[in-house]
Structures are given as structure tokens and as C-alpha cells.
């Protein structure tokens, strides 16, 4: 798995271990010093991302966060998408 | 004031949260220290990523995952507080609630002679340097916030145990941390006793939150649940290495 460290400006550090097949996420684990309320939502977010293309996850995550009343503290949906885009670019550079 | 190991301290905080959720106890504030010293990691962190586990073992320092998010902390020379209260007692916005529950600490620092400020998301600064970190979780309508107030800081020890995201930049990270972290001893130019800090914190919480405190002990429910949580959760490899 690839590990990406993404420091959110005025926020926390997202450390994302991710594996892609083509442009789809096949495995992902998000760790770091951020907060998510309720905490279990982060595991649901990880499950939601499996099988998705990076360019289609923003609306999915936004909808999830809004409808479930999830509070992300120290990062946003946009930060997470940005970090995954960087992981994708990094993958392409290495390929 | 209770001086116990990390697994037990984290278990007691959760046990109080559970007891509060079941209406068995009132809102509760607790002060404690750690023996042995302990690195706690945030709920979402990976122990392998954040801590040099071999060095921690050699140094006799425990490593325990918290119930709360946030970063890795070396609990060494510090006073830790935990506050458990119902969600209706704090703002629903997380950062606003950090502010509400950190202002008593800012006030306590003022009583100790220091000008402190709350720095969102979850820090308290003196002279622009971090002296207190705080972390919060909410479960079953109850908020648990715990946090540290540094008596003394040993950056070298801290970074002998904590990993940095990019090892190539280790020296820079340590240099930056030294400039960004402070302690009561450093700011006041004298050593400060645990009891003096606790007395200031008690005054801070009562004055700022407008509450009165009644001294108490853990109930039998809390104490038995805490022992079970320490044994079956916080001291286990499954919990420590969950991520």
C-alpha cells in the first residue's frame, strides 16, 4: 500500500494508506491526529471509498457527511479528496 | 489525584463516561498523573506509525490508544484532567465546545501567573507556545474531554519515543517542536507542584463554568468497569494495534 502524508493547512495530518487498481480504490486506511464525530463514521467512510474512482468520491462523501451529521475536525472532505488525488498522481509518476 | 498506569487512566475516563450516560453519577472532573510514563495515541492513529515501540519498551514507557482522537502525547511531567458532562452542557459545534472546556484551563493558567490563550482546534498556548493539548469524544449523549497541562517538558525524551512523519526532517521537526512547546516550569522559572496546578484547575473550572465541585471517589460501578476496561480493552494488543 502507498502511504501519503497530507498536512491540512491550519488543520491536522492525514496519513492515508491506499491501493489502487487502475483509478479505483481497492484498499484504504486513514490514520492521523484528526477528530471525527461520531468516530465510527471514519470506518464507514473507508468502506464507502472501496471500489470508487477518486474523481467520483467528493459528492459521495459530502452526501454521507451531511446526511449522517458527521463532524470532521482538522480536515474536510475536500482535503481528503485532494490527498487521494496526490496519491493517484504519485502512483502515475511511479508507474 | 490518582497516579496509575495509562491503561487504567483511559479505562477510568471511559467508565465515568458510561456511568454518566446511565445517570449513575453527576458531571465529573478528575485530575491525574501517570505511572509509569505513557505515550497515548489518538483513536485514529497507528501505534507503529507514531511510536518507536522498541524504545518505549526499553524506557519502560507504556503505549495506550485513547478513546479520543488527536495526536500522540508523551505523558511524563504533567497534570491531566478529564471532564465528563452531558452533551446539552456544551455547544454542539465541536470547536466551540473545545473553547468552552478549555477556557477554565486558560483561567487556571492566569491564576498561576501566566497569560494563556485558547488556540483552535484543541490547544492552549502561553507566549504563543503550546502548554496544553486536549481531546474530546461524545458517546451516548455524554462528552468526555481530557487534556494535559505540562509541568516540565523534555523534548529529547519526547522525540526519542515519537516518530516523525518524515525521518529525513527529524532534526527540523525537533527544532520546531522545541520552539513551539513550553511548560509551567519554563514559563514561571520555578518548579511547580502537582497540587498547586490541581488547585488552580479546580478554581478555573468552578469560576468559568459557574459550577460547584464536590469531592468524591469512583463509585463501585465505575471502579469495577474501569478495571474490566483496562484488562479487556486498553491493555490489549487488539486495541493498541487496531489501526
Amino acid at each position: 500500500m502507498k502511504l501519503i502524508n497530507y498536512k491540512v493547512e491550519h488543520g491536522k495530518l492525514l496519513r492515508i494508506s491506499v491501493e489502487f487498481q487502475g483509478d479505483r480504490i481497492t484498499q484504504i486506511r486513514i490514520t492521523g491526529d484528526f477528530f471525527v464525530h461520531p468516530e465510527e463514521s471514519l470506518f464507514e467512510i473507508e468502506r464507502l471509498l472501496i471500489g470508487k474512482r477518486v474523481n467520483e468520491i467528493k459528492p459521495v462523501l459530502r452526501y454521507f457527511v451531511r446526511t449522517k451529521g458527521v463532524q470532521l475536525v482538522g480536515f474536510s472532505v475536500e482535503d481528503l479528496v485532494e490527498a487521494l488525488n496526490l496519491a493517484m498522481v504519485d502512483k502515475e509518476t511511479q508507474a | 489525584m490518582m497516579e496509575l498506569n495509562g491503561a487504567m487512566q483511559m479505562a477510568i475516563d471511559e467508565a465515568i463516561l458510561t456511568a454518566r450516560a446511565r445517570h449513575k453519577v453527576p458531571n465529573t472532573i478528575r485530575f491525574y498523573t501517570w505511572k509509569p510514563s505513557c505515550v497515548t495515541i489518538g483513536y485514529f492513529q497507528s501505534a507503529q506509525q507514531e511510536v518507536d515501540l522498541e524504545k518505549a519498551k526499553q524506557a519502560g514507557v507504556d503505549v495506550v490508544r485513547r478513546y479520543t482522537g488527536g495526536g500522540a502525547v508523551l505523558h511524563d511531567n504533567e497534570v491531566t484532567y478529564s471532564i465528563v458532562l452531558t452533551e446539552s452542557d456544551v455547544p454542539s459545534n465541536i470547536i466551540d465546545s473545545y473553547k468552552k472546556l478549555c477556557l477554565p484551563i486558560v483561567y487556571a493558567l492566569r491564576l498561576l501567573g501566566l497569560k494563556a490563550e485558547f488556540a483552535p482546534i484543541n490547544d492552549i498556548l502561553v507566549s504563543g507556545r503550546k502548554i496544553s493539548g486536549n481531546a474530546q469524544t461524545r458517546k451516548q449523549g455524554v462528552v468526555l474531554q481530557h487534556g494535559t497541562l505540562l509541568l516540565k517538558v523534555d523534548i529529547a525524551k519526547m522525540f526519542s519515543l515519537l516518530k516523525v512523519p518524515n525521518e529525513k526532517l527529524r532534526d527540523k521537526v525537533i527544532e520546531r517542536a522545541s520552539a513551539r512547546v513550553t511548560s509551567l516550569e519554563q514559563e514561571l522559572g520555578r518548579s511547580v507542584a502537582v497540587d498547586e496546578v490541581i488547585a488552580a484547575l479546580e478554581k478555573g473550572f468552578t469560576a468559568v463554568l459557574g459550577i460547584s465541585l464536590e469531592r468524591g471517589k469512583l463509585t463501585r460501578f465505575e471502579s469495577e468497569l474501569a478495571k474490566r476496561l483496562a484488562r479487556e480493552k486498553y491493555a490489549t494488543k487488539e486495541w493498541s494495534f487496531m489501526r
Side-chain angles (χ1 to χ4, degrees):
Chain A
M1 291 228 272
K2 168 174 295 302
L3 174 66
I4 282 281
N5 290 318
Y6 182 87
K7 173 71 177 79
V8 177
E9 207 181 334
H10 306 297
K12 302 293 186 183
L13 179 68
L14 289 170
R15 313 188 79 172
I16 304 177
S17 300
V18 61
E19 202 155 286
F20 297 98
Q21 201 165 56
D23 55 356
R24 286 185 193 274
I25 296 165
T26 55
Q27 278 190 66
I28 184 159
R29 195 183 61 166
I30 307 164
T31 60
D33 60 354
F34 50 82
F35 299 89
V36 177
H37 298 269
E39 282 83 356
E40 298 68 35
S41 315
L42 185 75
F43 312 132
E44 285 185 60
I45 286 175
E46 288 176 342
R47 282 194 291 273
L48 267 177
L49 293 178
I50 301 289
K52 301 271 190 320
R53 292 190 172 95
V54 174
N55 64 9
E56 66 187 20
I57 61 180
K58 199 188 278 185
V60 175
L61 291 176
R62 276 191 182 155
Y63 180 78
F64 175 79
V65 164
R66 198 178 61 242
T67 53
K68 301 268 179 171
V70 177
Q71 291 195 55
L72 306 176
V73 180
F75 74 104
S76 63
V77 164
E78 287 68 24
D79 292 317
L80 189 51
V81 173
E82 170 82 10
L84 284 167
N85 271 318
L86 285 172
M88 274 294 290
V89 170
D90 204 29
K91 173 182 160 280
E92 281 160 12
T93 315
Q94 282 194 349
Chain B
M1 200 275 296
M2 289 185 226
E3 185 168 74
L4 294 165
N5 69 34
M8 198 59 197
Q9 297 296 24
M10 294 299 91
I12 293 172
D13 281 355
E14 182 177 340
I16 298 172
L17 182 156
T18 303
R20 184 70 191 95
R22 295 187 192 175
H23 308 286
K24 287 176 180 286
V25 296
N27 290 348
T28 301
I29 296 176
R30 186 169 81 94
F31 301 105
Y32 54 94
T33 56
W34 308 68
K35 196 172 185 179
S37 299
C38 179
V39 172
T40 63
I41 57 166
Y43 184 71
F44 300 111
Q45 290 188 303
S46 146
Q48 289 102 326
Q49 279 175 0
E50 303 298 333
V51 188
D52 188 327
L53 296 164
E54 198 49 47
K55 284 210 181 117
K57 199 175 171 185
Q58 283 164 13
V61 171
D62 288 345
V63 178
V64 177
R65 179 183 303 281
R66 295 191 306 271
Y67 207 19
T68 51
V73 180
L74 169 62
H75 303 278
D76 200 7
N77 287 297
E78 64 168 46
V79 172
T80 312
Y81 75 89
S82 71
I83 182 165
V84 172
L85 67 180
T86 55
E87 258 190 282
S88 56
D89 294 314
V90 299
S92 57
N93 176 280
I94 302 288
I95 295 177
D96 291 345
S97 68
Y98 273 118
K99 184 173 185 184
K100 172 163 181 164
L101 297 178
C102 284
L103 285 182
I105 301 155
V106 169
Y107 186 76
L109 285 161
R110 195 170 279 264
L111 293 175
L112 291 166
L114 297 173
K115 195 172 170 225
E117 59 181 327
F118 169 66
I121 301 167
N122 57 328
D123 293 335
I124 295 166
L125 311 181
V126 169
S127 325
R129 300 157 103 188
K130 179 170 169 174
I131 199 163
S132 163
N134 304 276
Q136 183 185 118
T137 185
R138 297 172 177 214
K139 297 269 185 325
Q140 305 162 65
V142 176
V143 177
L144 158 66
Q145 181 169 308
H146 42 206
T148 64
L149 195 45
L150 286 174
L151 298 174
K152 233 182 185 179
V153 63
D154 183 343
I155 295 282
K157 183 172 182 184
M158 194 184 282
F159 283 99
S160 71
L161 301 170
L162 300 182
K163 289 186 180 169
V164 295
N166 184 345
E167 284 297 328
K168 284 182 207 153
L169 300 176
R170 171 170 277 275
D171 290 347
K172 209 162 238 176
V173 172
I174 294 175
E175 197 183 308
R176 213 178 300 153
S178 307
R180 285 188 182 173
V181 179
T182 191
S183 67
L184 285 169
E185 185 176 294
Q186 209 165 310
E187 294 299 320
L188 291 169
R190 64 176 175 91
S191 65
V192 184
V194 167
D195 289 345
E196 185 185 352
V197 176
I198 291 176
L201 285 168
E202 277 183 19
K203 281 185 196 152
F205 279 106
T206 50
V208 175
L209 298 181
I211 54 170
S212 58
L213 294 174
E214 193 180 312
R215 213 163 289 279
K217 287 184 176 163
L218 294 178
T219 62
R220 176 183 281 219
F221 173 85
E222 288 169 323
S223 156
E224 284 176 3
L225 177 57
K227 280 183 204 151
R228 187 154 58 82
L229 285 167
R231 195 175 56 240
E232 295 176 7
K233 179 175 175 178
Y234 290 98
T236 65
K237 285 204 167 77
E238 290 75 19
W239 175 254
S240 299
F241 298 101
M242 179 182 90
R243 292 180 83 66

